[in-house]
Amino acid sequence: MSGRFSPRPALVEGAPAAGAGPEHTTGAGTPDGAGTPGGAATPGGTGTRTWRPPAPLDLALVLGVLRRGPADPTFRTAPDGAVWRTARTPAGPGTLRVHVRAGAGEVGAEAWGPGAEWLLETLPALLGADDEPDAFTPRHRLVALARHRRPGLRLTRTGLVTESLIPSILEQKVTVEEAYRAWRLLVRKYGEPAPGPTALMPGHGGLYVIPEPRTWALIPSWEWHRAGVDDKRAATVLRAVRVARRMEEAAAMDPESARARLEAVPGIGPWTSAETVQRSNGAPDAVTVGDLHLPRIVGWALAGDRDADDAAMLELLAPYEGQRHRAARYVLLSGRVPPRRKPKMPRVDIGLL
């Protein structure tokens, strides 16, 4: 479950008036209908938008779950706190920069590329506008304290499936370090440089947009091996990208139907489908089962049980039916983890075998 212990970032205070509408401007910086839904992009594929969240918003906490490791070539947090992200949208590749406007209680965004308009249009959903955190009622003191301390948690909804599905497949049965390395190597080699002013960004090189489904399908077997991806995971990615259009349709479904659609592909099980729809659909109840660590963390935090399995975890989360994923995130944000009793899962680089 990615993004477990996110840093405490700056908080965007909610709008003082309920129902305050979004504001946005075109790439030229001129007003473009304050309060009008949707973003605005120029024909050249650039645009800006301002959005005022209706409640406190923790920008890094909301979007941090989309980052796959500190060197993710599709995601970057700049020194000024702005979040940069790339995506392959239905309109094409795009780059989005989201930042807090200090003291203004609003978020600003700029986008570049053919997908700029789509990214600006879906900005509120990305920042949790479709989420309903008030539907959650804490049942444990630890959960209540975590919610109180991190009031800006909202569940993102990207509306894009493949960008979360493929890295989730890469994370099956391996350490996160191995999965992050595979994602980084494959995206940098087979993706395309992101549009916009990203080439000289500080950090780990420029940003990239993930490859198209056909490009994923044409990656040679030895390149998967060099990236440390075994045949089973590589085959699952190939099966998924061959039906990429059907996979993307799941973003518009209810979470249970979306998970059923994904799990129809051999090699995609409950763990992978949950990790995907948590991001693509903003699913508040899609708790991750089959995880190596999560059951023990939840068991220890809520019942002092360091040996809890999936069944015990689900029993502990039963009072949060409909909001179990959100409850698990609050547990993770509490930082209460069981003491380690054995070494970490060993890392095996099959690229060296």
Side-chain angles (χ1 to χ4, degrees):
M1 187 173 179
S2 301
R4 285 199 174 118
F5 304 109
S6 302
R8 187 184 298 273
L11 194 69
V12 183
E13 295 297 336
E23 299 175 356
H24 58 269
T25 61
T26 66
T30 56
D32 190 45
T36 306
T42 66
T46 62
T48 63
R49 176 172 186 174
T50 299
W51 182 65
R52 184 180 294 272
L57 177 69
D58 195 326
L59 185 62
L61 186 58
V62 173
L63 298 182
V65 296
L66 303 179
R67 186 183 71 170
R68 305 290 179 160
D72 185 347
T74 70
F75 190 101
R76 190 72 46 80
T77 300
D80 62 359
V83 172
W84 292 73
R85 129 179 179 83
T86 71
R88 187 167 293 281
T89 76
T95 301
L96 179 71
R97 175 181 181 265
V98 186
H99 58 96
V100 175
R101 294 189 170 175
E106 57 189 28
V107 174
E110 299 86 39
W112 298 264
E117 184 172 1
W118 190 92
L119 288 169
L120 294 173
E121 178 75 28
T122 59
L123 177 69
L126 181 73
L127 298 181
D130 297 335
D131 189 26
E132 297 180 350
D134 291 340
F136 180 79
T137 301
R139 305 292 183 182
H140 299 82
R141 184 173 183 272
L142 176 140
V143 174
L145 285 174
R147 185 191 189 197
H148 175 72
R149 290 168 179 166
R150 307 301 289 270
L153 173 63
R154 301 182 76 88
L155 302 183
T156 185
R157 180 171 186 169
T158 66
L160 300 169
V161 173
T162 304
E163 68 171 31
S164 294
L165 177 60
I166 293 177
S168 295
I169 293 172
L170 297 179
E171 291 174 13
Q172 294 175 354
K173 307 295 184 180
V174 297
T175 65
V176 292
E177 290 84 2
E178 293 173 88
Y180 291 162
R181 174 181 177 272
W183 175 249
R184 180 174 68 251
L185 293 177
L186 293 170
V187 171
R188 283 183 177 169
K189 185 162 188 176
Y190 293 99
E192 60 185 273
T198 66
L200 301 179
M201 288 188 66
H204 303 274
L207 292 179
Y208 288 79
V209 180
I210 66 169
E212 294 180 317
R214 176 173 173 76
T215 303
W216 284 108
L218 294 177
I219 295 177
S221 59
W222 58 87
E223 293 292 353
W224 291 103
H225 193 267
R226 286 175 179 172
V229 182
D230 58 74
D231 292 343
K232 183 177 180 180
R233 286 179 292 150
T236 301
V237 172
L238 295 179
R239 284 191 290 265
V241 297
R242 285 169 185 155
V243 290
R245 183 181 61 82
R246 297 283 288 166
M247 295 292 97
E248 291 298 337
E249 290 173 356
M253 299 177 177
D254 65 87
E256 286 305 311
S257 298
R259 295 186 65 179
R261 171 70 62 89
L262 299 184
E263 291 176 27
V265 176
I268 297 178
W271 186 93
T272 306
S273 69
E275 288 287 307
T276 302
V277 302
Q278 287 167 7
R279 297 163 174 80
S280 62
N281 296 56
D285 196 48
V287 62
T288 304
V289 296
D291 192 83
L292 180 63
H293 305 288
L294 185 61
R296 290 198 288 268
I297 293 174
V298 172
W300 176 257
L302 300 185
D305 181 5
R306 64 185 300 163
D307 298 311
D309 56 12
D310 281 334
M313 177 183 70
L314 292 176
E315 183 177 352
L316 288 169
L317 294 177
Y320 300 104
E321 187 74 32
Q323 296 282 327
R324 292 176 297 175
H325 168 52
R326 193 191 309 275
R329 285 209 62 188
Y330 280 128
V331 170
L332 293 170
L333 289 171
S334 74
R336 183 177 173 82
V337 297
R340 188 180 298 279
R341 289 192 301 192
K342 58 183 180 181
K344 289 183 177 181
M345 179 179 177
R347 174 181 173 181
V348 179
D349 187 353
I350 68 169
L352 301 177
L353 298 179

